[in-house]
Amino acid sequence: DVKVTQSSRYLVKRTGEKVFLECVQDMDHENMFWYRQDPGLGLRLIYFSYDVKMKEKGDIPEGYSVSREKKERFSLILESASTNQTSMYLCASWEDSTEAFFGQGTRLTVV
Amino acid sequence: DAKTTQPNSMESNEEEPVHLPCNHSTISGTDYIHWYRQLPSQGPEYVIHGLTSNVNNRMASLAIAEDRKSSTLILHRATLRDAAVYYCIRFWNTDKLIFGTGTRLQVFP
């Protein structure tokens, strides 16, 4: 019954490393989104994609990039990880205005 | 502003109904209202959504005001497993889900 899968539940990376967070959905959805969640700030939108090879900036894109080479996969890239990027990262997908599906989240710690 | 307004926290006793309010005074005519909840250490999960009329499903009911400026999520009989953060969200403009800080629901036995 898996719908949105994030490659890792927990990651620990060093400052300056390039980090890839992978998200795969099996519902053939066109829309995919990356959020980060921090205590007291709720979920904030980083990037989203409406189609293959298309991407749009969300509210907090600085320090991040994304890649969508295939419809089912949406990758979030931290070009040079910093400690202020320690957070919970959530991927989601949906179609039209119906139910959105979220992954379990990746808790990233940058040391 | 696309964000909705919800109380920070609410409490309920087990087996009692819970009414979670949400204000979305700037909603446009084509925006849907969605509710999601997030259990500890999990991603948000869909609860219910609606446009104009009230909606029911196996998890909850959604009551939307006639002017659509507010809505209420109704849990008919709260259980301990309903303790979560509940988010009221409108689909806005470019079809993004914009989250507010939600309502943390505590359920007491």
Side-chain angles (χ1 to χ4, degrees):
Chain A
D1 192 37
V2 175
K3 299 183 186 302
V4 179
T5 304
Q6 294 184 230
S7 53
S8 305
R9 287 297 302 271
Y10 301 94
L11 273 180
V12 180
K13 297 291 181 180
R14 295 191 180 279
T15 301
E17 273 192 80
K18 190 169 186 176
V19 181
F20 293 85
L21 302 183
E22 306 288 347
C23 175
V24 177
Q25 52 96 0
D26 62 2
M27 296 163 286
D28 203 36
H29 287 166
E30 292 186 346
N31 307 317
M32 295 188 74
F33 294 70
W34 275 106
Y35 294 85
R36 65 176 283 177
Q37 184 172 29
D38 302 287
L41 297 176
L43 279 82
R44 293 179 291 167
L45 183 61
I46 305 172
Y47 265 98
F48 57 104
S49 169
Y50 291 139
D51 202 350
V52 175
K53 296 192 185 296
M54 290 184 63
K55 60 184 179 183
E56 298 278 348
K57 293 180 180 180
D59 298 323
I60 51 165
E62 296 78 20
Y64 303 94
S65 63
V66 290
S67 172
R68 185 125 183 243
E69 295 295 319
K70 293 184 178 181
K71 192 175 186 179
E72 67 271 19
R73 185 180 298 270
F74 191 36
S75 303
L76 180 69
I77 303 158
L78 287 65
E79 296 290 342
S80 178
S82 64
T83 54
N84 62 14
Q85 293 177 309
T86 291
S87 186
M88 169 71 85
Y89 290 88
L90 290 157
C91 174
S93 77
W94 65 80
E95 199 76 11
D96 301 323
S97 294
T98 58
E99 178 180 355
F101 295 87
F102 285 81
Q104 288 287 82
T106 296
R107 186 166 296 280
L108 173 67
T109 302
V110 182
V111 298
Chain B
D1 187 356
K3 289 188 178 178
T4 57
T5 304
Q6 300 175 253
N8 288 333
S9 63
M10 293 186 65
E11 297 177 353
S12 175
N13 293 318
E14 211 173 3
E15 303 291 315
E16 289 184 354
V18 181
H19 291 234
L20 299 167
C22 178
N23 286 321
H24 28 81
S25 57
T26 60
I27 196 170
S28 70
T30 56
D31 288 350
Y32 280 82
I33 298 300
H34 280 233
W35 283 81
Y36 290 78
R37 71 179 187 181
Q38 188 174 21
L39 303 172
S41 301
Q42 294 188 24
E45 65 174 351
Y46 169 83
V47 177
I48 200 166
H49 78 282
L51 183 61
T52 55
S53 54
N54 296 344
V55 183
N56 300 294
N57 66 20
R58 62 176 179 82
M59 290 181 70
S61 296
L62 176 60
I64 300 174
E66 198 169 330
D67 62 6
R68 299 206 333 118
K69 294 183 184 300
S70 66
S71 61
T72 302
L73 179 71
I74 303 164
L75 306 179
H76 295 286
R77 293 179 64 189
T79 69
L80 297 178
R81 287 177 294 179
D82 290 325
V85 179
Y86 287 79
Y87 296 98
C88 165
I89 302 159
R90 49 179 280 200
F91 266 91
W92 171 74
N93 197 9
T94 55
D95 203 26
K96 298 183 289 186
L97 275 181
I98 305 297
F99 284 78
T101 51
T103 296
R104 182 173 297 278
L105 175 65
Q106 290 182 281
V107 180
F108 298 105

